[in-house]
Short mmCIF file of all heavy atoms in Angstrom, two decimals:
data_model
loop_
_atom_site.label_atom_id
_atom_site.label_comp_id
_atom_site.label_asym_id
_atom_site.label_seq_id
_atom_site.Cartn_x
_atom_site.Cartn_y
_atom_site.Cartn_z
N LYS A 257 -106.27 33.69 -36.37
CA LYS A 257 -107.62 33.90 -36.89
C LYS A 257 -108.18 35.24 -36.45
O LYS A 257 -109.18 35.71 -36.98
CB LYS A 257 -108.53 32.76 -36.43
CG LYS A 257 -108.71 32.66 -34.93
CD LYS A 257 -109.72 31.59 -34.55
CE LYS A 257 -109.20 30.21 -34.77
NZ LYS A 257 -108.17 29.81 -33.79
N TYR A 258 -107.54 35.90 -35.47
CA TYR A 258 -108.01 37.20 -35.00
C TYR A 258 -107.24 38.36 -35.64
O TYR A 258 -107.51 39.51 -35.34
CB TYR A 258 -107.88 37.28 -33.47
CG TYR A 258 -108.60 36.17 -32.76
CD1 TYR A 258 -107.89 35.08 -32.27
CD2 TYR A 258 -109.97 36.20 -32.60
CE1 TYR A 258 -108.54 34.05 -31.64
CE2 TYR A 258 -110.64 35.16 -31.96
CZ TYR A 258 -109.91 34.09 -31.48
OH TYR A 258 -110.56 33.07 -30.85
N ARG A 259 -106.26 38.04 -36.50
CA ARG A 259 -105.44 39.10 -37.08
C ARG A 259 -106.24 39.98 -38.03
O ARG A 259 -105.89 41.12 -38.29
CB ARG A 259 -104.23 38.49 -37.79
CG ARG A 259 -103.21 39.50 -38.25
CD ARG A 259 -101.87 38.87 -38.49
NE ARG A 259 -101.24 38.43 -37.25
CZ ARG A 259 -100.04 37.88 -37.19
NH1 ARG A 259 -99.34 37.69 -38.29
NH2 ARG A 259 -99.53 37.50 -36.03
N ASN A 260 -107.35 39.43 -38.57
CA ASN A 260 -108.19 40.23 -39.47
C ASN A 260 -109.30 40.96 -38.74
O ASN A 260 -110.16 41.57 -39.39
CB ASN A 260 -108.80 39.32 -40.55
CG ASN A 260 -107.74 38.76 -41.48
OD1 ASN A 260 -106.76 39.43 -41.78
ND2 ASN A 260 -107.92 37.52 -41.92
N ALA A 261 -109.30 40.89 -37.42
CA ALA A 261 -110.33 41.60 -36.66
C ALA A 261 -110.15 43.10 -36.85
O ALA A 261 -109.05 43.63 -36.76
CB ALA A 261 -110.26 41.24 -35.18
N GLY A 262 -111.25 43.78 -37.13
CA GLY A 262 -111.19 45.21 -37.36
C GLY A 262 -112.15 45.97 -36.47
O GLY A 262 -113.20 45.44 -36.05
N ALA A 263 -111.79 47.22 -36.14
CA ALA A 263 -112.64 48.06 -35.30
C ALA A 263 -113.87 48.51 -36.08
O ALA A 263 -113.76 48.92 -37.23
CB ALA A 263 -111.85 49.26 -34.79
N LYS A 264 -115.01 48.45 -35.42
CA LYS A 264 -116.26 48.87 -36.05
C LYS A 264 -117.03 49.73 -35.04
O LYS A 264 -117.80 49.22 -34.23
CB LYS A 264 -117.10 47.66 -36.47
CG LYS A 264 -118.36 48.02 -37.22
CD LYS A 264 -119.13 46.77 -37.62
CE LYS A 264 -120.41 47.14 -38.36
NZ LYS A 264 -121.20 45.94 -38.73
N PRO A 265 -116.82 51.05 -35.06
CA PRO A 265 -117.59 51.91 -34.14
C PRO A 265 -119.08 51.81 -34.43
O PRO A 265 -119.50 51.69 -35.59
CB PRO A 265 -117.05 53.31 -34.44
CG PRO A 265 -115.72 53.09 -35.08
CD PRO A 265 -115.84 51.81 -35.84
N ALA A 266 -119.88 51.87 -33.38
CA ALA A 266 -121.33 51.76 -33.54
C ALA A 266 -121.89 52.99 -34.24
O ALA A 266 -121.30 54.09 -34.19
CB ALA A 266 -121.99 51.58 -32.18
N LYS A 267 -123.01 52.79 -34.90
CA LYS A 267 -123.68 53.94 -35.51
C LYS A 267 -124.23 54.85 -34.41
O LYS A 267 -124.44 54.44 -33.27
CB LYS A 267 -124.81 53.45 -36.41
CG LYS A 267 -124.32 52.65 -37.60
CD LYS A 267 -125.48 52.22 -38.48
CE LYS A 267 -125.00 51.42 -39.70
NZ LYS A 267 -126.12 50.98 -40.55
N ARG A 268 -124.49 56.10 -34.78
CA ARG A 268 -124.87 57.10 -33.78
C ARG A 268 -126.13 56.71 -33.02
O ARG A 268 -126.26 57.00 -31.83
CB ARG A 268 -125.06 58.47 -34.46
CG ARG A 268 -125.26 59.61 -33.46
CD ARG A 268 -125.31 60.96 -34.14
NE ARG A 268 -125.50 62.01 -33.16
CZ ARG A 268 -124.53 62.58 -32.47
NH1 ARG A 268 -123.28 62.19 -32.65
NH2 ARG A 268 -124.78 63.54 -31.60
N GLU A 269 -127.07 56.01 -33.69
CA GLU A 269 -128.30 55.62 -32.98
C GLU A 269 -128.04 54.56 -31.91
O GLU A 269 -128.90 54.30 -31.07
CB GLU A 269 -129.35 55.13 -33.97
CG GLU A 269 -128.91 53.97 -34.85
CD GLU A 269 -128.40 54.43 -36.19
OE1 GLU A 269 -127.92 55.57 -36.25
OE2 GLU A 269 -128.49 53.67 -37.18
N ASN A 270 -126.84 53.93 -31.94
CA ASN A 270 -126.49 52.94 -30.94
C ASN A 270 -125.51 53.48 -29.90
O ASN A 270 -124.94 52.71 -29.14
CB ASN A 270 -125.90 51.70 -31.62
CG ASN A 270 -126.91 50.96 -32.47
OD1 ASN A 270 -128.09 50.88 -32.10
ND2 ASN A 270 -126.49 50.43 -33.60
N TRP A 271 -125.32 54.81 -29.88
CA TRP A 271 -124.49 55.42 -28.85
C TRP A 271 -125.33 55.64 -27.58
O TRP A 271 -126.56 55.56 -27.60
CB TRP A 271 -123.94 56.76 -29.31
CG TRP A 271 -122.96 56.70 -30.44
CD1 TRP A 271 -122.59 55.60 -31.15
CD2 TRP A 271 -122.25 57.81 -31.01
NE1 TRP A 271 -121.69 55.93 -32.13
CE2 TRP A 271 -121.45 57.29 -32.06
CE3 TRP A 271 -122.20 59.17 -30.74
CZ2 TRP A 271 -120.63 58.10 -32.84
CZ3 TRP A 271 -121.38 59.98 -31.50
CH2 TRP A 271 -120.59 59.45 -32.54
N TYR A 272 -124.64 55.96 -26.50
CA TYR A 272 -125.29 56.38 -25.26
C TYR A 272 -125.16 57.92 -25.22
O TYR A 272 -124.08 58.44 -24.89
CB TYR A 272 -124.63 55.73 -24.05
CG TYR A 272 -124.56 54.22 -24.14
CD1 TYR A 272 -123.49 53.58 -24.76
CD2 TYR A 272 -125.58 53.42 -23.60
CE1 TYR A 272 -123.43 52.20 -24.84
CE2 TYR A 272 -125.52 52.04 -23.68
CZ TYR A 272 -124.45 51.44 -24.31
OH TYR A 272 -124.40 50.06 -24.40
N LEU A 273 -126.23 58.60 -25.56
CA LEU A 273 -126.18 60.03 -25.82
C LEU A 273 -126.71 60.85 -24.63
O LEU A 273 -127.34 60.30 -23.71
CB LEU A 273 -126.99 60.36 -27.08
CG LEU A 273 -126.45 59.74 -28.38
CD1 LEU A 273 -127.47 59.88 -29.49
CD2 LEU A 273 -125.13 60.36 -28.77
N ASP A 274 -126.46 62.18 -24.70
CA ASP A 274 -126.96 63.16 -23.73
C ASP A 274 -126.50 62.83 -22.31
O ASP A 274 -127.31 62.78 -21.38
CB ASP A 274 -128.49 63.25 -23.78
CG ASP A 274 -129.00 63.61 -25.16
OD1 ASP A 274 -128.28 64.34 -25.89
OD2 ASP A 274 -130.11 63.16 -25.51
N LEU A 275 -125.20 62.65 -22.13
CA LEU A 275 -124.70 62.25 -20.81
C LEU A 275 -124.07 63.42 -20.06
O LEU A 275 -124.04 63.40 -18.83
CB LEU A 275 -123.67 61.12 -20.96
CG LEU A 275 -124.22 59.82 -21.56
CD1 LEU A 275 -123.12 58.77 -21.65
CD2 LEU A 275 -125.39 59.28 -20.76
N HIS A 276 -123.52 64.44 -20.76
CA HIS A 276 -122.93 65.62 -20.13
C HIS A 276 -121.86 65.21 -19.11
O HIS A 276 -121.99 65.42 -17.90
CB HIS A 276 -124.01 66.46 -19.44
CG HIS A 276 -125.12 66.83 -20.37
ND1 HIS A 276 -124.96 67.72 -21.42
CD2 HIS A 276 -126.43 66.42 -20.42
CE1 HIS A 276 -126.11 67.85 -22.07
NE2 HIS A 276 -127.01 67.07 -21.50
N ILE A 277 -120.78 64.61 -19.62
CA ILE A 277 -119.72 64.11 -18.75
C ILE A 277 -119.00 65.25 -18.04
O ILE A 277 -118.71 65.19 -16.85
CB ILE A 277 -118.71 63.27 -19.57
CG1 ILE A 277 -119.46 62.15 -20.32
CG2 ILE A 277 -117.63 62.71 -18.68
CD1 ILE A 277 -120.21 61.22 -19.43
N GLY A 278 -118.71 66.32 -18.77
CA GLY A 278 -118.05 67.47 -18.16
C GLY A 278 -116.55 67.28 -18.02
O GLY A 278 -115.95 66.40 -18.62
N ASN A 279 -115.94 68.14 -17.19
CA ASN A 279 -114.50 68.07 -16.95
C ASN A 279 -114.21 67.13 -15.79
O ASN A 279 -114.83 67.21 -14.73
CB ASN A 279 -113.95 69.47 -16.64
CG ASN A 279 -114.10 70.42 -17.82
OD1 ASN A 279 -113.92 70.02 -18.97
ND2 ASN A 279 -114.43 71.67 -17.54
#
Side-chain angles (χ1 to χ4, degrees):
K257 63 175 72 72
Y258 304 102
R259 189 160 291 182
N260 293 325
K264 185 179 179 182
K267 295 181 180 179
R268 188 174 180 84
E269 57 264 27
N270 293 323
W271 294 5
Y272 305 88
L273 297 168
D274 302 329
L275 298 180
H276 306 291
I277 305 301
N279 296 321

